[in-house]
Amino acid sequence: MKILFVRHGESLANAKIVKASDPDFLNGLTENGLAQAQLAAQSVTDKIMAVYASPYYRTMLTAQTFCDVHNKDLDILVDDRLREIDYGLFGDNKSHPEMIEVAQRQIAGDYEVRFGRIGENKRELITRLFGFLIDIFNKHDKDDVILAISHGRVISILDYEFGMVNGIQKEHESTKNAGIKEFILDDKTVQNLKTYFKKLNQEEIKRRVDCVEKYAKKNTNLYPHLLELARDTVDDIDVSYSIIEKFVQGAYSQNIMQLVANINKNEISDTDVMLVTVFKDADNFIEHFIQHYKNIGVSKFVFINNGSADKSITLLEQVANNDPTLSIDIWTTNEEFNGIKSMGWKQQVMSYYGLNRWWLLVDIDELFVFSENNICNLAKQLKDEKKSLMGAIMIDMYPKQNIKQIDSIDNKDIMKDYKYFDKTGYTKHKNNKYRYRFFGGMRKRVFNIIPSLQKYPLVYITENVIGINPHFWYPYSLNNNAKTGAALLHYKFLPNDLHKYSERISKGVYYNDSFEYKAYLKKFEQEPDCSLYSPEVSKEYTNFSSLNEILDS
């Protein structure tokens, strides 16, 4: 098997037009970069059977150029293992003296020293790259030619390490823009990779297993599957040691307790779909949330309160006491919020109510919508189709009022005013872990950030199903077999929400040091009258069919 690793064409950051730290959406290819990619594609005479790319704009553009030249019917398969190196504190300054020193130590054989103090180390980089090569060899025919679009230093380090493992003496050589390096895989070279992969990660696997054993209870159904996760995902950038640690801490936390108990576990039927969500200070939306899910057939709610100081608990208790058709349980924890740890809280709570049940996992600002109007019927349909997951794309909802005016919107009018969404501007990419990754929407248009929009909120929980990330489930085969076609209406920027974002920034507990929230407030500081609404792009949501243009694309 031949794998052609190609560096992306000259990017805008390479040409110093934008900074490497700017939003990825801004860092495309220069005209010269597009021409470089075109020439590189024309220089390849082999028949390309598959195209993989790192999840960046510049690599996707380069990959698309190769597809246009060779075969427009080829899908671009996004693989996170091909991504750029995480340079930590010095991501925008690769010539920093400390960065140069780290690179020299890595060349000398130090696999643990990290770029930029908190960035990636060489062991993690080689692990994900060798893992990619091994997987590609196992997945494709042995005579195939595969294309992989990645980044300069990534390819150069892979070239050197691949040669070393297979007894080929090489110097460290840079990879120019649109440069191509060829890797030949056969049974012998792949076995060499596997042996080195295992040796390189013995200590890391032990550390991950020790983490599970430290926090998890051995007599629980989840325990053996967490051990499997710890051992088998060492090359997975989405399941790092710190992520495993946070999830297991949440799943076995002793600081989460039941505050209100109305659900009788013995009366949960096979046709019930139970809902679980984590919230803090949600009194501006929580009644709309409950009413929506009641309307689609949810009757059993599990709320996990994470330190609310507003009227949320009082409102929940009022609904629980006044609506006999609903059963509402409230749990509480004062542990500091972390997105991954909160997934552990949910896993713990779901286990409490019993396995082999349908669950709907949503954030407190998300409303699940689908073509029918009864979620229990949808779950039955999924079961009949032998599917255990339903996928959805997040659709950002917003009002016509500008940011200054949002706080004047009465809570009771939120559903009436927050009825607009972006009808265009979405992209979809195949992915071996998520099945599809979706990007775009209002937040990309207004804030130049590109959050992942795919989620799998409706799930049948068995003992080996692990929700370690809100955007996918483990084992990954579940995501690839999921039914798609639903949506999550996403209500950010609600009345009186902006002060919460300042708190999230100060704590830095959301993804990537609360990067998204920093982008929101920076935009609002620069443009106090900023409007999320656009006459050209915004469309009014009236019912599920309003989303057909997005869901059918």
Side-chain angles (χ1 to χ4, degrees):
M1 178 183 292
K2 182 190 295 186
I3 301 184
L4 302 176
F5 266 77
V6 182
R7 183 186 178 188
H8 59 80
E10 181 187 59
S11 69
L12 294 172
N14 294 149
K16 310 298 184 186
I17 298 171
V18 301
K19 294 180 180 180
S21 59
D22 283 339
D24 180 66
F25 172 71
L26 300 178
N27 190 16
L29 299 182
T30 63
E31 288 188 14
N32 182 49
L34 288 168
Q36 291 172 336
Q38 181 81 13
L39 287 173
Q42 292 171 345
S43 74
V44 175
T45 58
D46 297 298
K47 182 180 180 181
I48 296 172
M49 301 306 295
V51 177
Y52 292 83
S54 84
Y56 293 94
Y57 190 35
R58 56 196 183 275
T59 48
M60 297 297 291
L61 289 174
T62 304
Q64 188 58 59
T65 302
F66 271 81
C67 290
D68 290 343
V69 170
H70 286 269
N71 183 352
K72 292 184 178 180
D73 293 330
L74 284 172
D75 289 320
I76 300 172
L77 304 170
V78 177
D79 197 303
D80 294 333
R81 291 173 294 186
L82 298 175
R83 66 166 174 79
E84 178 64 286
I85 296 169
D86 180 355
Y87 289 107
L89 298 178
F90 304 114
D92 207 25
N93 184 9
K94 299 181 182 66
S95 61
H96 189 282
E98 186 174 324
M99 290 286 284
I100 295 172
E101 179 189 351
V102 169
Q104 291 172 342
R105 287 175 62 182
Q106 289 182 340
I107 290 172
D110 189 334
Y111 283 79
E112 297 301 324
V113 63
R114 293 188 176 278
F115 280 114
R117 304 176 194 173
I118 59 172
E120 202 166 12
N121 62 36
K122 191 174 181 180
R123 177 186 53 73
E124 292 166 340
L125 174 62
I126 297 304
T127 294
R128 63 176 164 96
L129 293 172
F130 279 14
F132 171 79
L133 292 177
I134 293 166
D135 285 351
I136 295 303
F137 185 75
N138 292 333
K139 184 175 181 179
H140 294 279
D141 291 338
K142 302 305 179 277
D143 295 327
D144 281 354
V145 178
I146 309 297
L147 191 72
I149 312 296
S150 189
H151 305 267
R153 189 173 287 189
V154 171
I155 298 172
S156 297
I157 292 175
L158 174 62
D159 186 44
Y160 178 84
E161 294 290 323
F162 183 88
M164 181 191 71
V165 168
N166 288 289
I168 303 170
Q169 189 68 33
K170 288 195 171 188
E171 297 293 327
H172 279 276
E173 298 177 350
S174 61
T175 305
K176 64 182 182 180
N177 287 119
I180 301 174
K181 289 192 182 291
E182 181 179 295
F183 297 82
I184 302 299
L185 298 182
D186 55 28
D187 290 333
K188 182 179 179 182
T189 57
V190 170
Q191 185 56 51
N192 290 342
L193 296 181
K194 288 180 179 179
T195 300
Y196 191 71
F197 182 100
K198 182 177 180 180
K199 177 182 177 182
L200 192 63
N201 285 289
Q202 280 178 338
E203 286 301 313
E204 176 62 15
I205 291 173
K206 181 180 183 303
R207 189 167 77 110
R208 291 156 69 94
V209 168
D210 287 347
C211 175
V212 172
E213 292 179 339
K214 177 180 179 180
Y215 296 108
K217 295 178 181 177
K218 293 183 172 62
N219 61 346
T220 57
N221 290 318
L222 189 61
Y223 176 75
H225 305 291
L226 287 173
L227 288 177
E228 175 187 316
L229 175 76
R231 293 187 185 108
D232 292 352
T233 58
V234 70
D235 65 331
D236 191 332
I237 63 172
D238 284 321
V239 193
S240 64
Y241 172 86
S242 63
I243 286 174
I244 288 176
E245 182 180 46
K246 290 295 185 186
F247 179 80
V248 179
Q249 285 175 344
Y252 291 92
S253 172
Q254 300 296 307
N255 298 316
I256 181 170
M257 63 189 70
Q258 198 172 26
L259 188 67
V260 175
N262 289 309
I263 299 173
N264 186 333
K265 291 194 288 184
N266 297 322
E267 294 179 359
I268 302 172
S269 73
D270 292 339
T271 59
D272 279 325
V273 175
M274 298 182 63
L275 181 150
V276 62
T277 189
V278 175
F279 73 95
K280 178 180 181 180
D281 294 337
D283 63 3
N284 57 353
F285 195 65
I286 204 161
E287 290 176 292
H288 298 295
F289 182 91
I290 294 173
Q291 187 60 52
H292 171 81
Y293 285 108
K294 177 183 176 180
N295 290 345
I296 66 171
V298 176
S299 63
K300 295 178 174 62
F301 293 80
V302 180
F303 289 90
I304 303 173
N305 172 45
N306 187 211
S308 292
D310 66 358
K311 299 177 182 178
S312 298
I313 297 291
T314 300
L315 291 173
L316 283 178
E317 290 175 337
Q318 288 175 355
V319 174
N321 293 330
N322 296 329
D323 192 336
T325 67
L326 302 181
S327 297
I328 296 178
D329 281 9
I330 305 174
W331 294 65
T332 187
T333 178
N334 286 318
E335 289 186 347
E336 184 171 76
F337 179 85
N338 173 276
I340 301 302
K341 182 184 282 189
S342 73
M343 294 300 293
W345 296 337
K346 292 176 185 178
Q347 191 92 31
Q348 179 181 161
V349 166
M350 290 188 294
S351 297
Y352 168 83
Y353 291 96
L355 298 172
N356 305 311
R357 302 193 192 286
W358 284 100
W359 282 89
L360 188 60
L361 285 81
V362 288
D363 290 343
I364 197 66
D365 58 3
E366 295 173 345
L367 302 183
F368 183 70
V369 293
F370 51 102
S371 57
E372 300 178 25
N373 200 36
N374 187 292
I375 198 164
C376 298
N377 290 343
L378 175 59
K380 182 180 182 304
Q381 179 185 337
L382 292 172
K383 183 178 180 181
D384 291 343
E385 295 175 6
K386 294 182 169 45
K387 294 184 181 296
S388 56
L389 275 184
M390 181 75 185
I393 179 173
M394 295 172 64
I395 304 292
D396 293 324
M397 306 297 293
Y398 48 86
K400 269 191 175 180
Q401 293 93 325
N402 67 34
I403 287 299
K404 269 188 175 180
Q405 299 166 328
I406 279 179
D407 282 352
S408 66
I409 297 174
D410 195 293
N411 290 344
K412 71 178 188 311
D413 294 328
I414 286 175
M415 301 306 294
K416 177 173 68 72
D417 286 357
Y418 282 72
K419 58 183 178 181
Y420 298 99
F421 66 96
D422 278 19
K423 62 185 178 182
T424 57
Y426 300 88
T427 58
K428 179 174 76 172
H429 305 289
K430 281 192 173 181
N431 183 279
N432 63 335
K433 181 162 50 185
Y434 301 84
R435 186 181 182 188
Y436 292 109
R437 295 198 75 172
F438 293 93
F439 305 97
M442 178 272 290
R443 283 179 288 167
K444 176 183 175 184
R445 171 174 56 84
V446 176
F447 303 103
N448 276 332
I449 61 173
I450 310 183
S452 291
L453 301 180
Q454 74 292 326
K455 285 190 173 183
Y456 295 91
L458 182 57
V459 57
Y460 190 75
I461 293 291
T462 58
E463 68 175 32
N464 70 320
V465 175
I466 303 175
I468 198 166
N469 185 298
H471 296 282
F472 62 80
W473 289 84
Y474 183 86
Y476 299 139
S477 57
L478 295 171
N479 310 310
N480 288 308
N481 190 45
K483 186 180 181 70
T484 56
L488 286 167
L489 305 184
H490 187 216
Y491 293 81
K492 276 195 178 295
F493 313 110
L494 293 173
N496 303 307
D497 265 3
L498 295 190
H499 74 277
K500 300 177 186 177
Y501 298 168
S502 297
E503 178 187 348
R504 292 170 185 178
I505 290 171
S506 66
K507 292 187 175 181
V509 293
Y510 281 75
Y511 175 72
N512 196 16
D513 194 30
S514 300
F515 169 80
E516 282 188 30
Y517 294 98
K518 293 176 182 177
Y520 302 155
L521 294 193
K522 180 179 179 182
K523 177 74 173 180
F524 300 149
E525 288 171 2
Q526 294 173 342
E527 299 179 36
D529 295 324
C530 169
S531 177
L532 308 178
Y533 177 86
S534 165
E536 294 76 27
V537 180
S538 300
K539 178 179 178 179
E540 181 177 343
Y541 180 88
T542 55
N543 54 44
F544 185 72
S545 63
S546 303
L547 304 175
N548 285 346
E549 186 177 352
I550 297 172
L551 296 174
D552 293 342
S553 63

